[in-house]
Amino acid sequence: MAIWNKTIITKYGLELNARALTEHKRVEIYEARGGNRENLNLTAMPVKFDITGKTSKNNMAHIVLQKNNAGLGEILQFNAIGIYARLEGDPQGETLLPYATVTTKNEEMETIPPESTQ
């Protein structure tokens, strides 16, 4: 199992936060994907996670991700996760840029074996 670094808000994420404050809207997490840390573009992140929980406590967001690999006969590997967000109520706000990223230490690959849920 890989060791993960702390989550980092991207430049796009900081800009979205500023817009949220100005427009009095919330930031809405709509997707999470895993892939290669060298390319954090939404379309290049092949491992799509289910967002199974979102909570906020002490000015911190907690997002729970799950990947169901049951029924797939392939191994999934990734060393980065991109969290994608938009302003609340903005269906056109989807972007290829991640709001936040988390990567593994030393570029180690995280592996989800076939026929598993993690």
Side-chain angles (χ1 to χ4, degrees):
M1 177 178 246
I3 297 172
W4 291 83
N5 294 310
K6 291 183 178 181
T7 303
I8 297 174
I9 303 292
T10 64
K11 180 179 176 185
Y12 166 75
L14 293 173
E15 291 168 359
L16 193 64
N17 286 346
R19 280 188 53 211
L21 288 171
T22 302
E23 297 176 29
H24 305 288
K25 293 184 178 180
R26 294 186 309 171
V27 172
E28 176 183 86
I29 303 296
Y30 68 89
E31 193 156 343
R33 289 185 175 255
N36 189 317
R37 74 187 301 160
E38 300 301 319
N39 191 350
L40 293 170
N41 180 303
L42 177 63
T43 58
M45 301 284 273
V47 181
K48 185 173 180 181
F49 295 96
D50 295 321
I51 300 173
T52 59
K54 292 188 264 185
T55 58
S56 179
K57 184 177 181 181
N58 298 329
N59 293 323
M60 293 176 46
H62 299 271
I63 302 166
V64 180
L65 306 178
Q66 180 175 341
K67 180 62 187 168
N68 184 346
N69 204 19
L72 294 178
E74 63 184 273
I75 295 172
L76 300 176
Q77 291 190 305
F78 52 95
N79 60 7
I81 296 173
I83 306 295
Y84 299 86
R86 61 183 167 224
L87 287 186
E88 175 185 34
D90 184 3
Q92 304 303 316
E94 295 185 10
T95 176
L96 299 179
L97 301 172
Y99 171 80
T101 61
V102 59
T103 58
T104 60
K105 292 188 178 186
N106 303 320
E107 299 188 18
E108 182 181 358
M109 296 302 280
E110 181 71 58
T111 301
I112 299 177
E115 307 298 333
S116 68
T117 299
Q118 298 191 13

